[in-house]
Amino acid sequence: MKRIGMLTSGGDCQALNATMRGVVKGLYTYTDDVEIYGFIDGYKGLIYSNFRMLTAQDFSGILTRGGTILGSSRQPFKLMRVPDANGLDKVEAMKHTYYKLKLDCLVILGGNGTQKTANLLREEGLNVVGLPKTIDNDIWGTDMTFGFQSAVDIATSAIDCIHTTAASHGRVFIVEVMGHKVGWLTLHAGIAGGADIILLPEIPYDIDKVIEAIDKRNKQGKRFTILAVAEGAISKEDAALSKKEYKKKLEARKYPSISYEIADQIQARSGVEVRITVPGHTQRGGSPCPYDRVLSTRLGAKAAEMIMKEEYGYMVAVKNNRIDKTPLSEVAGKLKMVEPDSGIIQEAKAIGISFGD
Ligand code: F6P
């Protein structure tokens, strides 16, 4: 008998259901003697013992369904050791649920914060298998996360649509892509969508350089310019501030997001008309793309194998195109960021894309 607890935590993405399906289908090929406890809304369900017993049937027909059949919520890692409003010790409560249900292991699907808490539970003695979810592709220890390629498709198609209208009107357009701390999604969608300027959190921009790049295109007779701007894009001046000073500045910012500040600066300095498009949470919505369906299935199959072999304390990972595993202790607390001097940046620059640096 295998008793498996499963949860999806943090911001959702397209292939959560596809991944859970992979795990469950994989498990049932080893044995029929499986009990699955699905915790509702991520760690919240584990803390407050809110779960549903699931069967293989529940995971049938969900390969293409976005969102998560278990629900999700954000439970910040930094608050895990802080008692709840009623004084409940959350970590002890999670352990209590685990032992009460006599679970063999927890299967935890989530991003950076989620994997950090998964590692905390591992340190507390629970058996854990992590699965790398996020549209940001910023989890350390895996080359790829599920959700990323689906989000790239959506952000790219937003840029594609802007291209046709930009060409008609001869304006400057900004497409703001998700990613507060890392720019993988903006970088890939920006290149795939043929953006002229790409601004990432990892490469602080100089607004003069951004305007220069627009002017250069105008002089070349190009009627429009498209900027792919990450939510967390940051100017050189702001990057020089301390964390505290920058936070204060953000709190006082009159713009809804960085794109509006950049648009204002471009308009004021060069007089061109600027329009902003924010695809926002559409980037996390809808069906997983075929790439993600394949990736999720492979990751799920590996998780099932690890559970059967009792290989706990790892996150399933992609390494050099192979499905592998990385110790949660290595994953926790790190971010996989875009390297400013990496090949992909050099190649983008080589075809004339400006990063505003
Ligand atoms: O899950 C990752 C992510 O989509 C980021 O790209 C984005 O910055 C953030 O979550 C948005 O979070 P929320 O859904 O809580 O607004």
Side-chain angles (χ1 to χ4, degrees):
M1 157 73 75
K2 285 279 177 205
R3 285 200 180 83
I4 313 295
M6 202 177 272
L7 63 88
T8 55
S9 171
D12 75 342
C13 76
Q14 294 88 344
L16 283 162
N17 288 328
T19 306
M20 288 192 278
R21 169 186 174 272
V23 178
V24 173
K25 274 189 173 284
L27 284 173
Y28 275 97
T29 60
Y30 288 100
T31 172
D32 278 339
D33 211 7
V34 184
E35 271 182 6
I36 297 167
Y37 297 77
F39 293 102
I40 310 301
D41 293 343
Y43 286 117
K44 212 195 244 179
L46 187 60
I47 295 168
Y48 298 106
S49 198
N50 185 13
F51 61 87
R52 264 195 310 137
M53 294 224 42
L54 302 165
T55 64
Q57 205 78 43
D58 294 297
F59 297 90
S60 188
I62 61 169
L63 174 64
T64 59
R65 201 196 302 172
T68 158
I69 58 168
L70 296 180
S72 191
S73 66
R74 289 197 188 276
Q75 301 293 321
F77 173 77
K78 61 176 184 222
L79 297 181
M80 279 298 176
R81 291 282 186 195
V82 179
D84 78 355
N86 298 314
L88 180 79
D89 181 326
K90 295 173 201 153
V91 176
E92 284 308 315
M94 288 193 280
K95 286 164 66 179
H96 179 76
T97 305
Y98 180 94
Y99 290 120
K100 182 182 75 179
L101 299 176
K102 298 190 173 58
L103 297 179
D104 289 297
C105 82
L106 283 169
V107 175
I108 296 179
L109 292 80
N112 282 299
T114 300
Q115 302 301 338
K116 245 170 145 178
T117 299
N119 186 51
L120 170 77
L121 294 176
R122 179 197 64 82
E123 287 169 347
E124 290 288 324
L126 307 194
N127 295 330
V128 179
V129 173
L131 283 151
K133 166 243 67 163
T134 170
I135 65 164
D136 294 334
N137 193 27
D138 60 352
I139 302 182
W140 182 267
T142 183
D143 298 343
M144 185 55 66
T145 60
F146 61 85
F148 176 67
Q149 294 294 342
S150 302
V152 169
D153 282 3
I154 295 170
T156 302
S157 100
I159 300 174
D160 288 348
C161 292
I162 290 301
H163 247 111
T164 57
T165 177
S168 312
H169 288 277
R171 289 168 172 159
V172 170
F173 274 87
I174 296 178
V175 180
E176 185 175 287
V177 180
M178 273 190 166
H180 275 298
K181 291 188 182 146
V182 301
W184 290 111
L185 184 52
T186 311
L187 178 61
H188 282 247
I191 294 174
D196 309 295
I197 300 170
I198 298 177
L199 303 183
L200 309 177
E202 295 92 334
I203 306 179
Y205 64 85
D206 175 343
I207 194 68
D208 292 334
K209 293 274 166 51
V210 172
I211 293 170
E212 254 172 47
I214 297 171
D215 285 347
K216 191 172 161 199
R217 280 181 59 81
N218 288 344
K219 285 192 188 111
Q220 289 167 340
K222 306 274 169 62
R223 280 174 53 76
F224 65 90
T225 297
I226 295 180
L227 289 85
V229 173
E231 286 174 315
I234 186 166
S235 68
K236 283 207 153 86
E237 298 76 49
D238 286 352
L241 298 175
S242 70
K243 243 181 167 179
K244 209 169 154 194
E245 289 167 331
Y246 182 53
K247 205 173 157 212
K248 217 166 149 197
K249 192 171 170 193
L250 281 187
E251 278 160 13
R253 186 159 76 182
K254 62 176 179 166
Y255 303 100
S257 70
I258 187 67
S259 298
Y260 291 83
E261 184 174 329
I262 294 171
D264 229 19
Q265 287 172 319
I266 297 172
Q267 251 163 208
R269 303 262 298 272
S270 60
V272 294
E273 253 187 294
V274 185
R275 293 285 188 273
I276 299 162
T277 297
V278 184
H281 287 77
T282 64
Q283 292 163 95
R284 293 206 321 232
S287 293
C289 67
Y291 178 98
D292 270 336
R293 295 178 202 180
V294 174
L295 176 63
S296 296
T297 303
R298 295 179 70 195
L299 294 170
K302 178 72 175 175
E305 180 198 305
M306 285 161 58
I307 293 165
M308 294 313 292
K309 289 185 178 164
E310 301 186 356
E311 289 176 344
Y312 300 126
Y314 295 92
M315 182 186 76
V316 190
V318 182
K319 293 180 186 170
N320 299 322
N321 244 339
R322 292 174 67 88
I323 305 298
D324 205 324
K325 58 186 192 298
T326 303
L328 280 165
S329 56
E330 283 178 25
V331 174
K334 296 191 199 117
L335 265 187
K336 184 182 71 190
M337 303 182 86
V338 177
E339 297 288 340
D341 54 1
S342 57
I344 187 167
I345 298 288
Q346 299 310 323
E347 286 132 21
K349 285 185 174 174
I351 65 140
I353 295 174
S354 165
F355 288 83
D357 59 338

